[in-house]
Amino acid sequence: MTCTSGPVAVLGLGMMGASLAGRLLDQGVQVRVWNRTAERTEPLAKAGAFAAARPIEAVEGTAAAICTVANGDALSAVLRGPDGVLSGGSYPGALICASTVSPDEVVRLAGNEPSVLDVGMLGNRDHARSGDLRLYVGGEERVFTARRPLLELLGKEVVHLGELGSGMRMKLLLNLLMGIELQALAEAAELAAATGLDRQQVLSTIAGSGFASPVMAFKSKRLAAGHFDKPDFRLCLMAKDLVLATEQAAAAGLRLPLTTAAAETHVRATELGLGDEDCVAIAQALTRNPGTST
């Protein structure tokens, strides 16, 4: 076991947060957890974690707090809300933002806190559970160096990119690519069906071709089966990240037509009620009867 400098709090127990907490417990780290809906803490409490009722209680006595909530509003509440990590003053440990939010939001919420990192995580819940994530980190070099042993418990690759916000910039770029790739995959499948080709055969052909990225090959199986529940990555989160990417581009004076189009399609898909399904359910927003598989 790689030694950390003390207990670790995990705030937010969605698929990634719960897997990160489980990974730390497996490695012998003392873990304190919090989640907005308390029932999600129960499996981890049974595995040895301390379940706190409030974020500020979860971080008591910890050396680091990993935030894995869904969006900027949730992160703001966890850090600076009435029961937030910073509601009683500065946090003496390292704040690790592993939530995908605007890079500017990370900097704003960090304020004058002395030890803050933002971490873009590449991988799914299985990678998080097994320590096989790729982690892209922003923040001061001294903070990164001090917390590298903890990060190396969670990822097989840990890369320091530069200033605070860099981890989020990398994560948004990666999700931008995935969002466009999966929409392209869905569009190809819908065109196939509309023009008389067999959808399953087309998806199998794409998955086995040199044109498919690993994520496209993986997601093509889910798309072919039409199983969008028990998501690996929720469509609403993809929509959020694509919108954040378009905002980053606008702030930089860039026009990104593919990203803008993908963001619009994903936002429309959430409005159709597809937000809690797997992100490859974007195909259902492209059908002749949006929101269905036909």
Side-chain angles (χ1 to χ4, degrees), residues 96-138:
I96 300 175
C97 173
S99 307
T100 306
V101 299
S102 164
D104 294 336
E105 185 82 346
V106 173
V107 174
R108 183 185 70 80
L109 290 172
N112 295 321
E113 287 298 300
S115 298
V116 184
L117 298 173
D118 67 307
V119 180
M121 299 187 291
L122 182 60
N124 58 33
R125 67 185 125 185
D126 294 331
H127 297 128
R129 196 69 174 78
S130 62
D132 288 325
L133 294 170
R134 298 180 190 275
L135 303 178
Y136 301 98
V137 188

Side-chain angles (χ1 to χ4, degrees), residues 83-203:
D83 296 319
V85 173
L86 305 176
S87 60
S90 185
Y91 173 59
L95 285 174
I96 300 175
C97 173
S99 307
T100 306
V101 299
S102 164
D104 294 336
E105 185 82 346
V106 173
V107 174
R108 183 185 70 80
L109 290 172
N112 295 321
E113 287 298 300
S115 298
V116 184
L117 298 173
D118 67 307
V119 180
M121 299 187 291
L122 182 60
N124 58 33
R125 67 185 125 185
D126 294 331
H127 297 128
R129 196 69 174 78
S130 62
D132 288 325
L133 294 170
R134 298 180 190 275
L135 303 178
Y136 301 98
V137 188
E140 292 184 33
E141 180 77 37
R142 63 171 181 83
V143 183
F144 172 74
T145 299
R147 301 304 167 188
R148 184 163 194 152
L150 170 60
L151 296 173
E152 288 180 340
L153 286 181
L154 304 174
K156 64 181 180 181
E157 180 181 13
V158 179
V159 180
H160 184 228
L161 299 175
E163 65 182 5
L164 191 66
S166 299
M168 289 301 99
R169 292 187 181 95
M170 178 64 84
K171 178 62 173 176
L172 290 176
L173 294 179
L174 294 169
N175 282 3
L176 176 161
L177 287 172
M178 182 167 70
I180 291 174
E181 286 179 354
L182 294 186
Q183 182 160 328
L185 178 68
E187 289 186 13
E190 292 310 311
L191 180 59
T195 55
L197 292 174
D198 181 81
R199 185 195 302 263
Q200 268 72 14
Q201 185 177 50
V202 167
L203 287 168

Side-chain angles (χ1 to χ4, degrees), residues 1-293:
M1 182 191 79
T2 302
C3 183
T4 64
S5 56
V8 176
V10 179
L11 309 171
L13 300 176
M15 290 184 295
M16 295 300 286
S19 295
L20 291 174
R23 168 67 178 174
L24 292 172
L25 287 169
D26 287 347
Q27 297 300 303
V29 177
Q30 294 180 48
V31 178
R32 297 171 69 90
V33 296
W34 170 86
N35 192 69
R36 183 175 56 84
T37 51
E39 59 266 23
R40 287 196 177 182
T41 66
E42 292 173 4
L44 290 163
K46 290 178 180 177
F50 174 84
R54 302 183 298 161
I56 193 170
E57 294 172 359
V59 301
E60 289 179 2
T62 58
I66 304 173
C67 299
T68 53
V69 292
N71 53 47
D73 289 342
L75 182 62
S76 180
V78 164
L79 294 182
R80 298 195 175 272
D83 296 319
V85 173
L86 305 176
S87 60
S90 185
Y91 173 59
L95 285 174
I96 300 175
C97 173
S99 307
T100 306
V101 299
S102 164
D104 294 336
E105 185 82 346
V106 173
V107 174
R108 183 185 70 80
L109 290 172
N112 295 321
E113 287 298 300
S115 298
V116 184
L117 298 173
D118 67 307
V119 180
M121 299 187 291
L122 182 60
N124 58 33
R125 67 185 125 185
D126 294 331
H127 297 128
R129 196 69 174 78
S130 62
D132 288 325
L133 294 170
R134 298 180 190 275
L135 303 178
Y136 301 98
V137 188
E140 292 184 33
E141 180 77 37
R142 63 171 181 83
V143 183
F144 172 74
T145 299
R147 301 304 167 188
R148 184 163 194 152
L150 170 60
L151 296 173
E152 288 180 340
L153 286 181
L154 304 174
K156 64 181 180 181
E157 180 181 13
V158 179
V159 180
H160 184 228
L161 299 175
E163 65 182 5
L164 191 66
S166 299
M168 289 301 99
R169 292 187 181 95
M170 178 64 84
K171 178 62 173 176
L172 290 176
L173 294 179
L174 294 169
N175 282 3
L176 176 161
L177 287 172
M178 182 167 70
I180 291 174
E181 286 179 354
L182 294 186
Q183 182 160 328
L185 178 68
E187 289 186 13
E190 292 310 311
L191 180 59
T195 55
L197 292 174
D198 181 81
R199 185 195 302 263
Q200 268 72 14
Q201 185 177 50
V202 167
L203 287 168
S204 177
T205 300
I206 292 172
S209 75
F211 298 117
S213 68
V215 72
M216 289 175 73
F218 174 72
K219 289 292 188 180
S220 66
K221 297 175 184 177
R222 186 186 273 269
L223 183 55
H227 293 159
F228 306 128
D229 59 344
K230 298 180 181 178
D232 303 306
F233 186 62
R234 285 185 292 154
L235 192 148
C236 63
L237 297 180
M238 181 64 80
K240 167 186 66 80
D241 293 350
L242 287 167
V243 169
L244 287 173
T246 63
E247 291 171 353
Q248 287 283 294
L254 291 176
R255 180 175 172 272
L256 303 180
L258 289 177
T259 307
T260 299
E264 291 172 352
T265 307
H266 281 73
V267 168
R268 185 168 70 252
T270 64
E271 293 169 349
L272 291 169
L274 303 173
D276 287 332
E277 297 190 345
D278 189 84
C279 58
V280 80
I282 191 63
Q284 292 183 287
L286 304 173
T287 63
R288 285 166 287 186
N289 299 298
T292 74
S293 58

